[in-house]
Amino acid sequence: MASFESHEHDVLIIGAGGAGLRAAIEAAASGVRVGLVCKSLLGKAHTVMAEGGAAAAMGHVDDRDNWKVHFADTMRGGQYVNNARMAELHAKEAPDRIRELEAWGAVFDRTPDGRILQRNFGGHRYPRLAHVGDRTGLEMIRTLQDHAIHLGIDVHMEVTVIALLKDGARVVGAFAYDRERGRFRVFRARAIVLATGGVGRAFSITSNSWEYTADGQTLAYNAGAALQDMEFVQFHPTGMVWPPSVKGILVTEGVRGEGGVLRNKEGKRFMFGDIPANYKSQTADNEEEGWRYTQGDKNARRPPELLTRDHVARCIMREVRAGRGSPHGGVFLDISWIKERLPNGAEHIRKKLPSMYHQFKQLADIDITKEPMEVGPTTHYIMGGIRVDADSQMTDVPGLFAAGECAVGLHGANRLGGNSLSDLLVFGRRAGKYAAEFAKQQVPGRIDAAEVDGIAKRSLECFERGADGEGPYHVQHDLQTMMQDHVGIVRKESEMQEALVKLIALRKRAEKAGAVGNREYNPAWHTAMDLGNLITISEAITRSAIDRKESRGGHFRDDFPEKDPAAARFNVVVRKGADGAMHLTREPIPPLTKELAQIIEEEK
Amino acid sequence: MATTTALPPTATFRVWRGEGAQAGFQDYTTPISDGMVVLDAVHGIQADQAHDLACRWNCKAGKCGSCSAEIDGKPRLMCMTRLNQLDLTKPVTVEPMRAFPHVRDLVTDVSWNYRVKQRIQKFTPRSPDAPDGTWRMQQADIDRVQEFRKCIECFLCQDTCHVLRDHMKHEEFIGPRFLTYVAALEMHPLDTADRTAELKQADGIGYCNITKCCTTVCPEGIHITDNAIIPLKERVADRFYDPLKALVRLVRGTPAK
Ligand SMILES: Cc1cc2nc3c(=O)[nH]c(=O)nc-3n(C[C@H](O)[C@H](O)[C@H](O)COP(=O)(O)OP(=O)(O)OC[C@H]3O[C@@H](n4cnc5c(N)ncnc54)[C@H](O)[C@@H]3O)c2cc1C
Ligand code: SF4
Ligand code: SF4
Ligand code: FES
């Protein structure tokens, strides 16, 4: 018998980023006992790294903004494969969720009349992102954390869930280990919310931390839930490219929102040369107008640097491939030029983009108030994820809910910047609310001791192999390189088929990886256990990407470079079959309601 | 363009390994390259030589405050310490923070900090300014609070403060991080709670003798001592030691905030 600690909660929330914390707050407020687990310390989840802001149509800077415009922007950005109901709920509820943060102590930047200031961001028609300089995620996670600690929530820090436990069809618990001592824990719960974030660690160039190993997606998949839209991975156009050790670290879109421009090595603002037809009417056709837009001129249209991320990333790739890139294989992003326009430009940059200033100064010896940055695409976000009901966030598995980056629906084929932070708040709250309601109606489930034993035993096998097994970091590294090369920003059938073959070999290596040392705070062991998740999700991404024979949003196929209108009518869904293999289906997207269709038409 | 100082091809890191009484330094020589930070070197050692080397990190960009350590004796973030800022002619020492109980290798038990925060009176806003439930605040009135809210909870200031590090007054003193936290609440334009009494008693602000060591190590450049601690000390002094003000308060009947 494996020994383990037992804990019991009505609602167990896995993940303490924005989505998990917001869910925990809501569930606790409804009077149920809430447990919150996270792999890192509290307040260190990915949300802390978000920079630019949270999108909500409050209309503080431009009163023409409202939920309908936000909804239409989100759908257009997602290229109409979004879940329209989620986009509607998100656009309607985000303003209240932001205001609520202020009531909990958040201190957003202000407008001259003392309200929450909003900034421009790619794909948003009006200035819409509530922000705090370029550290909005920190403000958000700290506010939620500081509010949550007074609500009687049981927090289990540095605890990693490796399996969900079911009683029949229903989820009733989770199996985990604590990092510090390597001891096992079994959590009994009447409802579980997954809020585990993304999958960036499947790629080599990424803005994501070690935590992003696709745990939630894999837990849900193994428990029988459907994953959808996994081919839609967002490659953010601007990651650092030099020095090598910081490759992939994010450069916020806020730089462009504040007037930063992209140039190739010839000094040309290449984005003016390629403006997609469906954005033409909203995009400036000269530099002067673009500048006025960033300075708040309501009659000006946005500069092409603020087109959607998928498009900007591909334009950068094109410049680099055509030999017009910067010395280290990126392009130039210049904010220092605004000194020509603003008398106190340097100070303005430091005030509006303090952490970017800091980051480049310290990590690349570059003063962004004086010289341009070098940037290139980096794996940033996954639009795809666990399929949920739009209103309640429940998955196909009773009692299992999902919210935040690990869930799917809101963003379609491409997420707009700032729509994630608001997503966490809107759907984190909904998941917490409905999980609590569900939990109240349930009797405790039965946990199968033999199953628990089996999981414990399997998780320790890598110790038996010890130094005879391959080092887990090497397997992880090879997986990342393979995915970056074969299923990265530009995709091709033949390369992806090859990726599927390579994944089989990688899985075999992962199953034979060894961990040296003992169970106390042993990252080799943790990495060995993460490998299975990364490989499962890489397979889901690859299979889905092969199936979508067109280019749309974050998914770009060299062999099918155009959009196929017929492909706008379905989502690609994968599930684990009874045979243990991955099964893929195309599922039709339900038609829009009349009201929503009309809004999209009006806002075109 | 970026200036690069040429680095040697390898460097030696003297890393604190193990747990409890068995813990001690161990030397690792590892390849290095331009632009590398200490955290890269630690990861390199982990990948090739010591798979089970324990350390915390998340963002690799100075944003999460996970990778705190003592590098050549100085409390710093591993991810923001460039190798070209260090003397590589001798081994670079990398140790866990010393003001907290050791767990293993570079990891310490920082849970005390989380317990301290929970004790501090929470944010208590005044009633909304506008009928729609919102407030109005001027940017000028929140600049100071925003400075404090830049804190990434790396706890390097706590690690440095002699009251905690040398005198181990964890039960009586909340340390610079949480004095900054109290300052952020006290100076928040919307907050109505009064934490002056707890500052004096439970928080032990009197232990701070303004050495400013905390300010020196803060990776966020927060002016902990000048902007947070000294103004709080003044509030406490006004409340408890200024007889005239105490009298005025008595007459007015409300504690001035
Ligand atoms: C550098 C950067 C900048 C960004 N900027 C913006 C921005 O300006 N605006 C915007 O809207 N979005 C932005 N994003 C995206 C956004 O930050 C993320 O999508 C979002 O924070 C995800 O939040 P989450 O709550 O879903 O998950 P996270 O915040 O990632 O939290 C995941 C949690 O799950 C836990 N967890 C994971 N697996 C397990 C497990 N097996 N067991 C237990 N716990 C587990 C983790 O420990 C963590 O606590 C940015 C992203 C990055 C990387
Ligand atoms: S100034 Fe005060 S809090 Fe800061 S290190 Fe010195 S004694 Fe500690
Ligand atoms: S005040 Fe500075 S040094 Fe102290 S925890 Fe916060 S960021 Fe770290
Ligand atoms: S890893 Fe986040 S601060 Fe160093």
Side-chain angles (χ1 to χ4, degrees):
Chain A
M1 255 310 273
S3 72
F4 54 80
E5 245 176 59
S6 271
H7 297 268
E8 189 169 343
H9 306 288
D10 295 320
V11 176
L12 178 71
I13 290 161
I14 306 176
L21 281 165
R22 189 63 190 79
I25 289 169
E26 198 66 18
S30 79
V32 299
R33 295 165 306 162
V34 179
L36 179 64
V37 287
C38 51
K39 295 208 278 191
S40 290
L41 297 169
L42 198 56
K44 311 294 184 197
H46 231 74
T47 300
V48 80
M49 292 156 66
E51 295 164 356
M58 298 187 289
H60 289 176
V61 173
D62 192 321
D63 58 15
R64 289 173 296 182
D65 203 9
N66 59 53
W67 79 264
K68 293 179 179 173
V69 190
H70 192 181
F71 164 77
D73 286 351
T74 302
M75 294 297 291
R76 187 185 309 109
Q79 311 216 354
Y80 306 105
V81 291
N82 325 50
N83 178 318
R85 173 69 179 156
M86 282 176 80
E88 175 193 359
L89 288 170
H90 170 254
K92 282 181 174 162
E93 294 177 7
D96 279 347
R97 299 286 80 76
I98 297 290
R99 290 186 199 110
E100 188 172 72
L101 290 181
E102 188 150 281
W104 297 342
V107 186
F108 290 103
D109 288 354
R110 314 309 290 182
T111 60
D113 66 348
R115 296 187 297 169
I116 295 173
L117 182 60
Q118 299 184 270
R119 74 156 44 120
N120 286 315
F121 236 56
H124 293 283
R125 183 157 210 160
Y126 301 117
R128 190 176 282 149
L129 270 67
H131 62 276
V132 185
D134 54 6
R135 55 163 193 84
T136 314
L138 170 65
E139 187 67 20
M140 210 170 102
I141 201 167
R142 202 65 84 230
T143 302
L144 292 170
Q145 173 190 348
D146 293 351
H147 186 70
I149 57 175
H150 297 288
L151 299 175
I153 296 163
D154 284 321
V155 182
H156 307 266
M157 295 200 280
E158 299 199 303
V159 169
T160 304
V161 173
I162 55 174
L164 297 176
L165 306 169
K166 284 169 73 176
D167 179 358
R170 175 163 78 101
V171 151
V172 293
F175 184 86
Y177 65 87
D178 75 79
R179 302 175 77 77
E180 188 172 323
R181 292 287 143 217
R183 284 178 298 226
F184 294 127
R185 296 190 191 186
V186 168
F187 295 95
R188 289 162 193 279
R190 295 169 200 224
I192 293 185
V193 179
L194 293 168
T196 53
V199 307
R201 284 278 133 187
F203 295 86
S204 57
I205 302 174
T206 177
S207 61
N208 295 174
S209 86
W210 69 268
E211 288 202 316
Y212 267 20
T213 48
D215 297 6
Q217 291 86 346
T218 316
L219 290 169
Y221 170 81
N222 286 335
L227 303 180
Q228 178 184 306
D229 294 346
M230 295 302 284
E231 69 277 28
F232 296 127
V233 175
Q234 180 165 76
F235 298 92
H236 193 289
T238 59
M240 291 176 82
V241 296
W242 192 93
S245 70
V246 298
K247 203 166 175 138
I249 290 181
L250 193 74
V251 181
T252 175
E253 192 168 315
V255 174
R256 285 168 282 146
E258 297 294 339
V261 299
L262 290 166
R263 292 184 202 281
N264 62 21
K265 77 169 183 204
E266 292 150 9
K268 183 170 172 220
R269 275 182 75 178
F270 56 86
M271 289 304 301
F272 276 108
D274 186 355
I275 300 169
N278 59 337
Y279 280 98
K280 265 235 149 76
S281 66
Q282 303 181 3
T283 309
D285 51 18
N286 64 80
E287 302 195 5
E288 188 52 41
E289 183 179 1
W291 166 251
R292 282 192 284 115
Y293 176 88
T294 63
Q295 298 314 297
D297 180 342
K298 292 185 182 173
N299 297 317
R301 293 168 302 173
R302 77 181 77 153
E305 274 87 357
L306 289 177
L307 285 163
T308 54
R309 290 176 174 177
D310 51 334
H311 180 71
V312 180
R314 272 193 302 279
C315 290
I316 292 176
M317 285 286 282
R318 187 195 57 216
E319 292 303 303
V320 175
R321 287 185 172 189
R324 294 189 292 267
S326 65
H328 300 100
V331 295
F332 294 107
L333 171 60
D334 189 12
I335 180 83
S336 70
W337 81 280
I338 71 170
K339 287 185 298 188
E340 296 165 18
R341 302 299 185 105
L342 295 176
N344 56 347
E347 197 193 311
H348 181 80
I349 296 167
R350 278 193 297 267
K351 168 87 197 157
K352 279 297 176 183
L353 302 162
S355 78
M356 283 304 107
Y357 175 74
H358 212 57
Q359 184 173 312
F360 273 90
K361 190 103 189 139
Q362 292 207 20
L363 296 176
D365 297 320
I366 286 190
D367 181 344
I368 65 168
T369 68
K370 299 208 175 94
E371 49 191 332
M373 303 158 241
E374 271 187 78
V375 297
T378 181
T379 315
H380 185 56
Y381 185 88
I382 185 154
M383 277 69 73
I386 307 160
R387 195 168 71 177
V388 291
D389 172 70
D391 288 77
S392 71
Q393 300 286 290
M394 189 151 94
T395 67
D396 300 345
V397 179
L400 184 63
F401 297 73
E405 188 169 343
C406 68
V408 64
L410 173 59
H411 309 294
N414 174 59
R415 172 178 72 91
L416 297 185
N419 267 3
S420 172
L421 291 185
S422 41
D423 169 9
L424 311 181
L425 297 170
V426 168
F427 295 106
R429 173 182 156 278
R430 284 182 165 268
K433 176 173 160 29
Y434 289 101
E437 275 179 20
F438 183 92
K440 285 180 188 166
Q441 293 157 10
Q442 304 301 316
V443 293
R446 199 186 63 88
I447 283 179
D448 180 350
E451 186 187 355
V452 167
D453 246 12
I455 301 165
K457 195 160 161 283
R458 276 195 301 283
S459 73
L460 294 172
E461 279 168 5
C462 54
F463 281 117
E464 287 160 25
R465 290 184 290 272
D468 294 339
E470 185 178 7
Y473 304 107
H474 289 155
V475 184
Q476 191 190 48
H477 177 264
D478 289 354
L479 169 70
Q480 292 166 338
T481 316
M482 193 284 285
M483 285 299 286
Q484 187 81 36
D485 290 349
H486 290 66
V487 201
I489 180 162
V490 176
R491 298 166 172 173
K492 244 207 303 264
E493 178 93 20
S494 56
E495 288 176 3
M496 292 192 288
Q497 293 294 354
E498 219 175 289
L500 284 180
V501 176
K502 293 190 166 167
L503 281 170
I504 297 173
L506 281 159
R507 188 178 298 278
K508 290 209 175 101
R509 284 169 63 191
E511 282 164 0
K512 295 208 183 87
V516 295
N518 52 28
R519 280 163 69 175
E520 274 89 37
Y521 220 111
N522 184 344
W525 179 37
H526 307 155
T527 306
M529 284 190 283
D530 294 342
L531 285 173
N533 300 350
L534 283 174
I535 292 170
T536 300
I537 261 24
S538 296
E539 183 184 342
I541 293 172
T542 309
R543 286 193 189 283
S544 308
I546 291 173
D547 190 60
R548 187 169 282 281
K549 299 197 185 333
E550 62 152 357
S551 292
R552 183 180 296 272
H555 173 65
F556 185 79
R557 299 260 318 230
D558 225 8
D559 42 359
F560 298 96
E562 299 303 322
K563 233 186 300 198
D564 172 7
R569 286 188 223 117
F570 64 84
N571 296 116
V572 179
V573 175
V574 297
R575 285 189 190 79
K576 188 173 187 168
D579 54 355
M582 192 173 284
H583 291 260
L584 184 143
T585 48
R586 291 179 175 184
E587 301 192 8
I589 298 174
L592 288 170
T593 61
K594 247 208 324 311
E595 191 204 1
L596 296 181
Q598 197 186 339
I599 294 171
I600 289 175
E601 205 38 56
E602 281 164 10
E603 301 293 337
K604 265 229 162 95
Chain B
M1 227 31 273
T3 46
T4 54
T5 341
L7 292 174
T10 64
T12 300
F13 294 84
R14 185 159 288 173
V15 184
W16 194 259
R17 294 298 316 271
E19 39 186 322
Q22 270 90 54
F25 280 118
Q26 198 162 327
D27 283 6
Y28 299 93
T29 301
T30 187
I32 59 171
S33 63
D34 258 1
M36 265 174 77
V37 293
V38 171
L39 184 63
D40 295 319
V42 168
H43 280 156
I45 293 166
Q46 195 181 53
D48 297 326
Q49 305 179 49
H51 290 185
D52 62 339
L53 169 54
C55 72
R56 287 198 180 100
W57 69 284
N58 280 299
C59 68
K60 226 177 154 293
K63 294 194 167 74
C64 71
S66 301
C67 64
S68 309
E70 299 186 4
I71 300 164
D72 280 342
K74 289 202 195 71
R76 306 182 72 161
L77 297 176
M78 290 193 282
C79 71
M80 295 303 274
T81 306
R82 293 276 296 273
L83 297 185
N84 64 5
Q85 301 162 348
L86 301 170
D87 177 3
L88 301 177
T89 59
K90 55 183 185 29
V92 175
T93 61
V94 187
E95 296 167 79
M97 290 193 283
R98 295 298 187 188
F100 308 112
H102 188 219
V103 174
R104 198 168 90 76
D105 301 345
L106 299 176
V107 176
T108 51
D109 175 0
V110 292
S111 57
W112 169 78
N113 291 285
Y114 290 86
R115 290 193 297 275
V116 167
K117 185 188 256 186
Q118 210 162 6
R119 274 195 343 234
I120 294 166
Q121 256 192 87
K122 66 176 189 210
F123 175 67
T124 318
R126 67 173 184 237
S127 36
D129 301 336
D132 63 356
T134 61
W135 289 271
R136 301 289 176 270
M137 290 187 268
Q138 290 305 311
Q139 186 63 42
D141 298 330
I142 59 168
D143 281 340
R144 182 50 43 82
V145 176
Q146 286 189 328
E147 178 195 353
F148 301 149
R149 293 181 67 90
K150 284 195 311 196
C151 170
I152 56 174
E153 300 201 331
C154 64
F155 307 130
L156 287 170
C157 55
Q158 308 284 72
D159 184 48
T160 276
C161 176
H162 65 104
V163 182
L164 299 171
R165 187 187 180 92
D166 301 329
H167 306 294
M168 291 288 165
K169 295 281 182 203
H170 294 72
E171 291 311 311
E172 291 124 280
F173 180 56
I174 62 175
R177 157 60 190 134
F178 294 105
L179 290 173
T180 309
Y181 180 68
V182 174
L185 289 165
E186 287 284 294
M187 296 180 204
H188 194 304
L190 306 186
D191 183 71
T192 56
D194 178 5
R195 300 171 187 79
T196 318
E198 71 185 57
L199 271 171
K200 179 167 181 280
Q201 277 111 35
D203 303 349
I205 193 170
Y207 280 105
C208 164
N209 55 352
I210 325 188
T211 58
K212 300 199 183 185
C213 311
C214 50
T215 306
T216 326
V217 300
C218 176
E220 284 294 311
I222 301 170
H223 298 90
I224 303 175
T225 327
D226 288 346
N227 290 351
I229 299 182
I230 293 176
L232 290 181
K233 276 181 173 279
E234 282 165 359
R235 283 179 193 217
V236 172
D238 278 359
R239 170 76 55 85
F240 293 99
Y241 308 108
D242 185 331
L244 191 64
K245 287 200 178 138
L247 187 68
V248 171
R249 239 182 347 258
L250 203 67
V251 175
R252 281 217 198 111
T254 47
K257 215 193 132 176

